[in-house]
Amino acid sequence: MSEKPVPAPAQGLAPAEGLAPVESASAETLAPTPSHTVGPFYGYALPFPGGGEMAPAGHPGAITLHGHVRDGAGAPVPDALVELWQAGPDGSLAGAGGSMRRDPVTGGFLGRNGVDFTGFGRIATDADGHWTARTLPPGGPAAPAAPYISVCVHARGLLHHLFTRVYFPENAEANAADPLLASLDPARRETLVATAASPPGTYRFDIRLQGEGETVFLEFR
């Protein structure tokens, strides 16, 4: 399976054409048909309370990763879902089961067990298009690849979810040798590298779906 950067698809769909009027009615009396819409319909199964709390509470090595999802006009996307998939600090992808546990008796939501790091998070953006995750730094894959977090974005107007990555600025040497980053021109490469923020251990990673500063998205084959 190979990966290459691809442009983000255009958001939204063209309105559906109106139905042909029946012979007994005039065009003036017919109401226009509604546009077809494409979600998001996240009310069932997808919401994950506490989905951004990937690191066990109180873990000394936890980092905070946050940012905004913005559309082609730079406006915040308040109804997106950001999924994170990553290796543990030791580089292992084995993870642990139980990101989203259910009560076996009632079927209710139990949440994480507070101990295991599963390497998975799912966060809904707020009214400002903002998302936040508390996680652990990803360990490095085999050289020459640099450590990264895989990101999957679901949002209104997207027929297919988008894939990208988050790299970290302190891994400058490894980032310079990473095959994917090395294949991009500097301006595009910057869209995949988080920015160190305050307090220490905080990183910002904004996702731009289209337009100026569009995030590099990946195609898997």
Side-chain angles (χ1 to χ4, degrees):
M1 180 172 66
S2 63
E3 307 162 1
K4 69 174 185 177
V6 295
Q11 298 184 65
L13 295 177
E17 297 181 359
L19 297 176
V22 295
E23 293 182 0
S24 59
S26 66
E28 290 77 17
T29 62
L30 294 174
T33 57
S35 299
H36 288 304
T37 60
V38 180
F41 305 112
Y42 297 153
Y44 174 74
L46 284 178
F48 185 174
E53 301 301 310
M54 299 167 63
H59 195 291
I63 62 173
T64 298
L65 181 65
H66 74 104
H68 289 80
V69 178
R70 298 188 183 277
D71 64 17
V77 180
D79 49 12
L81 282 179
V82 176
E83 289 188 349
L84 305 179
W85 303 77
Q86 67 168 96
D90 61 354
S92 171
L93 292 171
S99 285
M100 190 171 184
R101 300 178 305 145
R102 297 283 183 181
D103 187 313
V105 177
T106 67
F109 177 74
L110 282 180
R112 303 179 189 273
N113 65 16
V115 177
D116 295 320
F117 177 72
T118 65
F120 172 74
R122 179 186 291 152
I123 311 103
T125 55
D126 63 17
D128 297 319
H130 186 253
W131 59 276
T132 303
R134 191 184 77 246
T135 186
L136 300 180
Y148 63 86
I149 295 178
S150 294
V151 181
C152 180
V153 184
H154 306 255
R156 55 180 162 87
L158 294 179
L159 294 177
H160 301 285
H161 42 277
L162 302 175
F163 297 96
T164 188
R165 288 180 175 180
V166 183
Y167 291 85
F168 292 87
E170 62 267 27
N171 301 322
E173 184 175 346
N175 290 347
D178 184 87
L180 174 61
L181 292 178
S183 70
L184 303 171
D185 64 65
R188 301 289 286 142
R189 190 182 309 141
E190 289 178 0
T191 70
L192 298 184
V193 182
T195 301
S198 182
T202 301
Y203 300 87
R204 178 160 181 167
F205 184 76
D206 292 330
I207 300 169
R208 184 69 177 263
L209 299 180
Q210 284 184 309
E212 184 178 356
E214 177 186 301
T215 301
V216 171
F217 297 105
L218 307 175
E219 181 181 44
F220 290 86
R221 293 181 174 180

